[in-house]
């Protein structure tokens, strides 16, 4: 009787919750949106910590080996090694950001200045040609003149109110975004420095509230996800460095301008598989067009050739092999990730697809073994016994 009452109570509760959910869909979505907004710094911080843990683990292993070589009898504590590895990881990230900024910003500013100067110099000639073919260019001419110092000042004076309002809104959004990012970085730092304690707490919770088989399955799946993503991020960094070095070397040999800038762009955009590098090619070709138009075609051809070689012979082996996927399945994962989640899907769908394939492989192996055991038992049961 108690069992029937329990089943009825659960069924009635489920029906009530379903009725409320159907009639309050907008309120539920608003609540979930607010909840995601509140938890976004935590989620972003954990993602940052997960990504930074890859180089941090490498530094930890390196420091442990060095400590053992220096003095086997006196090894530093794991806490000290973790702190030093965390500082070295932050230093490497700061150096990479500084390298990217110093390579990109000056080249971008000078290119925009050259573009504006050449456009203002050539525009009367281009405007005359366009007018001869029946195209109206008065609005474009007025816009270009407004970009000058006097035109810009007068425009600011006329639209001072809207400019101040837009600037204030932008400043508030920027402050909010920067604050959330700082909070996420702080959360990531605390998570990295206390990762062993967090892992022990998670293990104790699973042991206390879950069955032993379920806890072991979760630990195995979590370890598989961690190892797969670590290998993927490591392979992706190696692939980005290889592509950047190839682009820089070939561009320098052939005397193509902006070799360093294009190489840095290629390395940064290489984290978007199969697509990001072509975006870097377009930007690099645009910069070359501003400096030396005669070498634009050479720039595009060289970049495409290097990209083709890298995609066919380096990327599938470096990244695909690192996560246990072949070249074909790596490409399938990129296409599916791009269709489902866009750019972020293209970046993270490869290790996710690898995790799915590994879990499916484990389940298939387990199922085959169970079927073989069942066949053996059936054969033993049907075979005649000697009397």
């Amino acid at each position: 009787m108690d069992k029937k009452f329990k089943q009825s109570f659960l069924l009635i509760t489920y029906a009530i919750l379903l009725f409320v959910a159907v009639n309050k869909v907008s309120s539920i979505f608003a609540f979930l949106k607010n909840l995601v907004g509140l938890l976004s710094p935590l989620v972003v911080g954990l993602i940052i910590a997960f990504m930074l843990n890859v180089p941090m683990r490498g530094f930890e292993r390196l420091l442990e080996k060095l400590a053992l070589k220096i003095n086997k009898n006196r090894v530093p504590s794991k806490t000290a090694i973790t702190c030093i590895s965390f500082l070295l990881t932050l230093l490497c990230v700061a150096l990479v950001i500084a390298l990217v900024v110093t390579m990109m910003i000056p080249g971008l500013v000078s290119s925009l200045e050259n573009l504006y100067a050449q456009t203002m110099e050539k525009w009367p000639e281009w405007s005359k040609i366009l007018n001869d073919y029946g195209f109206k260019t008065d609005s474009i001419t007025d816009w270009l003149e407004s970009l000058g110092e006097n035109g810009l000042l007068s425009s600011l004076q006329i639209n001072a109110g809207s400019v101040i309002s837009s600037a204030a809104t932008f400043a508030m959004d920027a402050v909010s975004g920067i604050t959330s990012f700082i909070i996420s970085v702080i959360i990531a730092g605390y998570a990295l420095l206390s990762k062993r304690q967090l892992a022990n707490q998670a293990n104790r919770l699973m042991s206390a509230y879950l069955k032993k088989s379920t806890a072991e399955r979760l630990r195995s799946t979590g370890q598989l996800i961690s190892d797969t993503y670590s290998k993927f991020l490591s392979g992706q960094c190696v692939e980005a460095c290889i592509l950047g070095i190839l682009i820089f070397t070939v561009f320098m040999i052939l005397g193509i301008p902006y070799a360093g800038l294009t190489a840095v762009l290629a390395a940064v955009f290489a984290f978007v598989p199969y697509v990001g590098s072509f975006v870097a090619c377009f930007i690099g070709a645009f910069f070359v067009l501003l400096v030396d138009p005669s070498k634009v075609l050479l720039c595009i051809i060289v970049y495409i050739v290097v990209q083709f070689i890298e995609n066919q012979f380096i990327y599938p082996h470096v990244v695909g092999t690192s996560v246990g996927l072949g070249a074909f399945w790596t490409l399938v994962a990129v296409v599916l990730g791009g269709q489902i989640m866009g750019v972020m899907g293209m970046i993270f769908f490869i290790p996710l697809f690898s995790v799915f394939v590994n879990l499916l492989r484990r389940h298939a192996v387990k199922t085959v073994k169970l079927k073989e055991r069942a066949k053996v038992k059936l054969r033993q049961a049907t075979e005649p016994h000697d009397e």
Side-chain angles (χ1 to χ4, degrees):
M1 187 69 181
D2 292 337
K3 186 176 180 181
K4 290 183 178 179
F5 175 77
K6 185 178 180 181
Q7 291 177 349
S8 302
F9 178 76
L10 291 175
L11 183 61
I12 294 171
T13 304
Y14 174 76
I16 294 173
L17 291 176
L18 182 61
F19 176 79
V20 173
V22 170
N23 288 275
K24 300 292 183 181
V25 174
S26 58
S27 301
I28 293 174
F29 275 115
F31 171 76
L32 292 176
K33 184 178 180 180
N34 293 330
L35 182 63
V36 170
L38 291 174
L39 296 179
S40 59
L42 175 62
V43 175
V44 173
L46 293 177
I47 293 174
I48 294 174
F50 186 78
M51 296 177 66
L52 293 182
N53 189 47
V54 176
M56 187 173 170
R57 285 170 59 183
F59 281 123
E60 287 175 344
R61 289 192 291 265
L62 180 61
L63 290 175
E64 288 175 357
K65 291 180 181 179
L66 290 176
L68 289 174
K69 288 183 179 180
I70 294 173
N71 190 351
K72 294 182 179 180
N73 298 323
R74 188 177 180 182
V75 180
S77 64
K78 291 185 177 181
T79 303
I81 292 177
T82 300
C83 293
I84 297 173
S85 301
F86 177 70
L87 293 176
L88 291 175
T89 302
L90 291 182
L91 180 62
C92 290
V93 172
L95 290 175
V96 171
I97 293 174
L99 176 63
V100 173
V101 170
T102 54
M103 291 291 292
M104 291 182 61
I105 299 300
L108 181 62
V109 171
S110 62
S111 298
L112 292 176
E113 290 177 350
N114 292 332
L115 175 63
Y116 176 73
Q118 292 181 11
T119 302
M120 295 301 295
E121 181 182 354
K122 297 288 186 180
W123 178 247
E125 180 180 348
W126 297 343
S127 177
K128 183 179 178 181
I129 295 174
L130 291 173
N131 287 326
D132 292 340
Y133 283 96
F135 292 98
K136 300 291 185 179
T137 60
D138 296 336
S139 59
I140 300 176
T141 303
D142 295 338
W143 178 74
L144 289 173
E145 290 177 354
S146 67
L147 293 178
E149 184 177 355
N150 296 328
L152 184 61
L153 289 175
S154 61
S155 177
L156 289 175
Q157 291 174 357
I158 295 172
N159 302 305
S162 60
V163 169
I164 293 174
S165 177
S166 301
T169 303
F170 176 78
M172 292 177 64
D173 293 339
V175 169
S176 177
I178 292 172
T179 303
S180 298
F181 180 75
I182 291 174
I183 294 174
S184 299
V185 171
I186 294 173
I187 292 173
Y190 276 106
L192 288 171
L193 291 174
S194 59
K195 59 182 180 180
R196 289 187 177 87
Q197 292 87 338
L198 293 175
N200 292 331
Q201 291 170 3
N203 285 325
R204 285 198 295 267
L205 288 174
M206 287 190 295
S207 299
Y209 296 103
L210 297 177
K211 295 181 180 179
K212 185 177 180 180
S213 58
T214 305
E216 290 296 329
R217 194 179 301 113
L218 287 176
R219 291 190 187 98
S220 176
T221 304
Q223 188 64 42
L224 175 63
I225 294 173
S226 177
D227 293 341
T228 303
Y229 271 87
S230 298
K231 292 178 181 178
F232 169 74
L233 292 174
S234 301
Q236 196 71 46
C237 290
V238 172
E239 188 268 340
C241 293
I242 292 174
L243 179 61
I245 291 172
L246 288 175
I247 294 293
F248 179 77
T249 303
V250 177
F251 274 42
M252 289 296 293
I253 292 173
L254 298 178
I256 301 175
Y258 290 109
L261 176 61
T262 308
V264 172
L265 288 171
V268 172
F269 282 97
F271 284 89
V272 184
Y274 294 102
V275 175
S277 295
F278 290 102
V279 176
C281 174
F282 174 79
I283 299 174
F286 176 74
F287 287 153
V288 173
L289 176 65
L290 301 179
V291 177
D292 192 352
S294 63
K295 292 186 177 180
V296 173
L297 183 60
L298 178 63
C299 170
I300 296 174
I301 293 174
V302 169
Y303 196 104
I304 290 176
V305 170
V306 173
Q307 179 66 34
F308 176 80
I309 295 173
E310 192 270 342
N311 279 340
Q312 296 298 321
F313 302 103
I314 298 176
Y315 183 84
H317 298 285
V318 173
V319 178
T321 305
S322 66
V323 295
L325 288 178
F328 174 75
W329 293 113
T330 303
L331 182 59
V332 170
V334 170
V335 173
L336 289 178
Q339 291 292 326
I340 296 173
M341 299 175 58
V343 176
M344 295 301 295
M346 297 176 70
I347 296 175
F348 291 104
F349 214 75
I350 294 176
L352 182 64
F353 196 77
S354 176
V355 170
F356 172 75
V357 169
N358 283 318
L359 291 176
L360 184 62
R361 186 184 296 117
R362 289 182 182 181
H363 185 268
V365 170
K366 184 178 179 180
T367 304
V368 170
K369 288 182 179 180
L370 291 175
K371 287 184 177 181
E372 290 177 352
R373 290 176 185 174
K375 288 181 179 179
V376 171
K377 290 181 179 180
L378 181 62
R379 190 182 304 115
Q380 291 175 351
T382 55
E383 287 179 352
H385 299 282
D386 296 332
E387 294 183 358

